[in-house]
């Protein structure tokens, strides 16, 4: 198998087929996934305002909120959009070749979906901004902490929106706006509109863990704000836990259309669903 194809097969398996199994069976290079044993709370001293380091969102599921009673309440427009989305995962899953998940064509994950995926993320804290460097799709996100406000009328929608952060005690509150509505909230096909305002709340609970709660506020599609389950980030202090051997850095895990759409979808995914090129 060509080297460049292997990560693509893993991406598709992780997104559409058996995420927990495929991730647990691969070791090293940032692919421990849900197979990792939980790390107990640390007694090591830490600065609750310092998020620098490489973290792995290991606690909580890849879905926004699957707790009983945690389901969102749709507006009529939101329900229509939800029903039109055909995910390849979860209780409404269809064969990926018959679905319309934006990731199936290598589109960006967007927010908050990329926060739900369990892959390493480097947090780089600077005086004016916090950078989140995601291994998955190799995304660079800026959270501005210099006091600026979100644009009232963004000049263009963005897959990852415009983000500003502020501290409320030991909690970092991140507000984002100006999203491209073509992506989903998570892999179950929950939608969001161009009116969505997103809030993330991060709190470092000990040296090795950060807790995160995400709130979707989208009056166009949801009757009231929708709150995620609590997700946990785990500090990866040893590069061998996330890096390619001998490299000590995040691996390149790209979804390249030249591989994904032209090779994997055409050769493997579509024929598996009975679709053939004419």
């Amino acid at each position: 198998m060509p080297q460049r194809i292997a990560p693509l097969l893993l991406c598709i398996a992780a997104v559409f087929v058996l995420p927990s199994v495929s991730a647990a069976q691969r070791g090293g290079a940032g692919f421990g996934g849900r197979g990792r044993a939980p790390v107990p709370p640390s007694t090591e001293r830490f600065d609750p305002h310092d998020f620098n380091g490489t973290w792995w969102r290991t606690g909580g599921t890849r879905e926004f909120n699957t707790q009983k009673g945690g389901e969102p309440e749709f507006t009529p427009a939101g329900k229509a959009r939800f029903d039109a989305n055909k995910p390849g995962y979860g209780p409404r899953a269809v064969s990926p070749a018959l679905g319309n998940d934006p990731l199936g064509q290598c589109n960006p994950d967007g927010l908050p979906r990329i926060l739900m995926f369990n892959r390493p993320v480097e947090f780089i804290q600077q005086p004016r901004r916090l950078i989140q460097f995601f291994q998955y799709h190799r995304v660079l996100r800026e959270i501005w902490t210099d006091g600026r406000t979100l644009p009232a009328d963004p000049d263009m929608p963005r897959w990852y929106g415009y983000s500003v952060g502020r501290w409320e005690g030991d909690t970092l509150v991140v507000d984002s706006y100006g999203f491209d509505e073509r992506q989903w909230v998570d892999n179950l096909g929950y939608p969001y509109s161009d009116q969505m305002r997103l809030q993330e709340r991060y709190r470092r609970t000990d040296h090795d863990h950060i807790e995160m709660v995400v709130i979707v506020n989208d009056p166009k599609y949801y009757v009231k704000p929708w709150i995620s389950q609590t997700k946990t980030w785990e500090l990866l202090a040893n590069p061998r836990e996330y890096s390619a051997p001998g490299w000590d850095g995040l691996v390149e895990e790209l979804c390249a259309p030249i591989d994904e759409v032209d090779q994997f979808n055409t050769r493997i995914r579509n024929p598996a669903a009975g679709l053939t090129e004419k």
Side-chain angles (χ1 to χ4, degrees):
M1 179 182 297
Q3 184 176 6
R4 66 179 183 177
I5 300 299
L8 260 295
L9 299 180
L10 177 63
C11 287
I12 289 295
V15 173
F16 292 124
V17 189
L18 295 172
S20 59
V21 174
S22 64
Q25 288 179 344
R26 286 184 70 114
F31 292 110
R34 296 180 184 176
R36 294 174 56 84
V39 174
S42 170
T43 58
E44 187 174 345
R45 294 173 62 88
F46 70 99
D47 179 354
H49 289 189
D50 182 5
F51 288 177
N52 282 298
T54 300
W55 301 83
W56 196 325
R57 202 206 54 69
T58 55
T61 67
R62 285 177 48 206
E63 297 74 52
F64 191 80
N65 192 339
T66 54
Q67 289 179 315
K68 186 175 181 180
E71 304 85 358
E73 184 177 352
F74 291 110
T75 65
K79 184 62 164 59
R81 174 71 186 279
F82 176 69
D83 290 342
N85 291 343
K86 300 176 182 179
Y89 183 87
R92 302 191 307 131
V94 301
S95 172
L98 304 177
N100 56 7
D101 190 327
L103 290 188
Q105 304 297 322
C106 273
N107 291 300
D109 294 71
L111 285 171
R113 189 171 184 180
I114 199 168
L115 296 170
M116 303 296 117
F117 202 65
N118 53 336
R119 285 290 195 275
V121 182
E122 185 176 4
F123 286 45
I124 306 169
Q125 206 160 338
Q126 299 180 330
R128 299 177 59 240
R129 62 181 179 172
L130 170 66
I131 295 173
Q132 289 179 325
F133 182 27
F134 294 86
Q135 173 179 291
Y136 192 56
H137 287 196
R138 208 157 180 84
V139 170
L140 188 70
R141 179 203 184 190
E142 295 173 312
I143 300 171
W144 291 95
T145 56
D146 57 358
R148 71 180 66 185
T149 58
L150 293 174
D153 186 18
D155 60 347
M156 60 179 293
R158 297 183 176 187
W159 291 99
Y160 298 94
Y162 302 75
S163 299
V164 298
R166 68 184 189 279
W167 288 98
E168 291 184 357
D170 290 339
T171 299
L172 177 64
V173 180
V174 180
D175 292 302
S176 302
Y177 184 57
F179 292 99
D180 189 314
E181 64 180 351
R182 292 175 292 178
Q183 189 48 270
W184 299 348
V185 169
D186 64 7
N187 59 354
L188 299 182
Y190 287 101
Y192 60 78
S193 77
D194 59 356
Q195 298 303 304
M196 178 181 72
R197 289 184 178 270
L198 190 72
Q199 185 173 98
E200 302 145 63
R201 302 182 69 88
Y202 298 86
R203 186 173 66 90
R204 189 167 185 175
T205 56
D206 62 44
H207 182 272
D208 296 330
H209 296 93
I210 293 174
E211 286 187 350
M212 177 187 72
V213 173
V214 184
I215 304 169
V216 167
N217 191 342
D218 187 349
K220 185 174 179 179
Y221 281 173
Y222 299 103
V223 173
K224 59 184 180 181
W226 186 24
I227 303 174
S228 76
Q229 293 162 296
T230 299
K231 315 293 182 181
T232 303
W233 297 82
E234 177 188 321
L235 182 64
L236 300 180
N238 188 338
R240 286 180 297 178
E241 295 182 282
Y242 59 84
S243 176
W247 184 248
D248 290 1
L250 298 181
V251 302
E252 183 180 274
E253 191 176 1
L254 295 176
C255 188
I258 194 171
D259 292 332
E260 181 86 356
V261 177
D262 297 338
Q263 296 189 37
F264 186 88
N265 290 357
T266 300
R267 293 191 303 107
I268 300 174
R269 188 197 71 172
N270 295 352
L275 301 179
T276 58
E277 298 287 338
K278 293 183 179 181

